[in-house]
Amino acid sequence: MSHPLPLNAIHAFLVTARHLNLTRAAGELCVTQGAVSRKIATLEHYLGFALFERHARGLRLTVQGAALLPELQQGFEQMVNATTKAMRHNGVIRLKAPTCAMRWLVPRLVTLEQQQPDLHVALTTTLDHHSQLEGFDAAIVYGSTPSGAIHLFDEAITPVMAANMRVPATPDALAAMTFLHPTCDTRDWQLWLTAQNITLTMARNQHFSTMDLAISAAIQGFGVTVADINLVESDLANGRLIAPFASRVKTGAAYSLLQRSPHHAPPFLSELAAWLSGH
């Protein structure tokens, strides 16, 4: 009996071959570098030859890997096109979005699908804020608004904290609290504090890999975080969080929606875009 074709390993190979970098491949696939390496090793074992040569600056395809790549790309694209075509007939829209947008996105998707039962969104989350469509029907991206994308909202940050915590009377009183950071650095907090003309010593700090994780920690009373006011609107409305200060500072980044051209779009994609953009 022949061994089953390792499709997940093939996908990992194709993504890694495009980036020639394990870190970027892992980010796109939403797995660890070690997981990507194991998937590639699985495919190499299946094939019986190495696909990459590793060197100081990253990866390089072997001669056999480079020869195999075009046909695998073509075959994988055919599978994506076939499944896309089948899903279009069933009104399924494949949407990719960064994890940090889930608090804003999911309630809107729930309401939309309740109003239009024939519409269904197959949601895939990613840690890559700048990823393009790449086989999806639509994608929410963070940063500058790409050409042709629909602007959804600008990022505007403000401190938020659990409602049962002692509310600081002034921004200076934040110094006594634990600062939760949505990134590995302090840039978001520094941006907000600078806008208030305040310099604070942040004695206690916790860093997270996404804003969503920092918000979740704030809800649990772990400390105070800066968060995009759009992402915490339901948490503020439901009393899970409070925003002790009125000041909101735009970071210069925005959330936008990329979508397929009308010729290749599945049913209801225009309705989804209009719903998310508020038009």
Side-chain angles (χ1 to χ4, degrees), residues 4 10 20 22-23 43 64 69 75 84-85 91 105-106 110 127 142 166 177 188 210 214 219 240 244 268:
I10 291 174
L20 292 178
L22 285 175
T23 300
L43 183 57
Q64 289 168 302
L69 179 61
T84 299
K85 186 182 296 183
L105 176 62
V106 170
V110 171
L127 295 177
Y142 168 83
R166 183 175 179 178
M177 303 183 70
D188 287 339
T210 68
I219 291 174
R240 289 188 293 267
F268 304 113

Side-chain angles (χ1 to χ4, degrees), residues 15 21 31 39 47 50 54 99 125 127 134 153 171 191 207 222 232 242 250 256-258 273 276 278:
V15 173
N21 182 284
V31 297
K39 289 177 185 294
L47 295 169
R54 291 155 178 80
T99 55
T125 59
L127 295 177
E134 297 174 347
F153 59 88
L191 180 65
H207 295 267
F222 200 22
V232 295
I242 59 170
K250 289 189 175 183
S256 309
L257 180 71
L258 288 169
L276 294 181

Side-chain angles (χ1 to χ4, degrees), residues 54-238:
R54 291 155 178 80
H55 57 94
R57 295 185 178 181
L59 301 175
R60 181 167 46 235
L61 284 163
T62 64
V63 173
Q64 289 168 302
L68 179 64
L69 179 61
E71 291 190 56
L72 285 184
Q73 286 175 325
Q74 183 179 5
F76 205 84
E77 185 175 347
Q78 287 177 339
M79 287 193 295
V80 170
N81 290 338
T83 53
T84 299
K85 186 182 296 183
M87 293 172 73
R88 284 175 186 157
H89 289 307
N90 291 314
V92 176
I93 300 171
R94 298 189 304 163
L95 173 65
K96 181 169 58 173
T99 55
C100 56
M102 290 301 102
R103 292 178 178 276
W104 177 88
L105 176 62
V106 170
R108 285 166 171 77
L109 294 182
V110 171
T111 302
L112 177 60
E113 291 193 359
Q114 288 173 344
Q115 294 184 7
Q116 298 200 42
D118 292 334
L119 183 155
H120 175 60
V121 176
L123 180 61
T124 298
T125 59
T126 177
L127 295 177
D128 183 1
H129 293 169
H130 309 288
S131 58
Q132 301 298 306
L133 288 177
E134 297 174 347
F136 289 83
D137 300 308
I140 293 178
V141 295
Y142 168 83
S144 57
T145 300
S147 175
I150 298 173
H151 176 270
L152 297 177
F153 59 88
D154 293 320
E155 183 179 51
I157 57 175
T158 192
V160 295
M161 56 191 292
N164 60 359
M165 295 183 68
R166 183 175 179 178
V167 180
T170 65
D172 294 296
L174 289 169
M177 303 183 70
T178 297
F179 290 85
L180 309 179
H181 302 274
T183 58
C184 60
D185 53 27
T186 65
R187 64 179 184 272
D188 287 339
W189 264 113
Q190 295 294 354
L191 180 65
W192 188 85
L193 291 170
T194 298
Q196 318 313 309
N197 294 316
I198 294 173
T199 300
L200 290 182
T201 299
M202 292 183 276
R204 293 191 297 275
N205 301 274
Q206 294 289 342
H207 295 267
F208 299 87
S209 57
T210 68
M211 183 172 287
D212 185 62
L213 290 175
I215 293 170
S216 296
I219 291 174
Q220 298 300 317
F222 200 22
V224 57
T225 185
V226 280
D228 183 348
I229 197 68
N230 301 283
L231 301 184
V232 295
E233 58 183 0
S234 63
D235 298 305
L236 293 171
N238 293 329

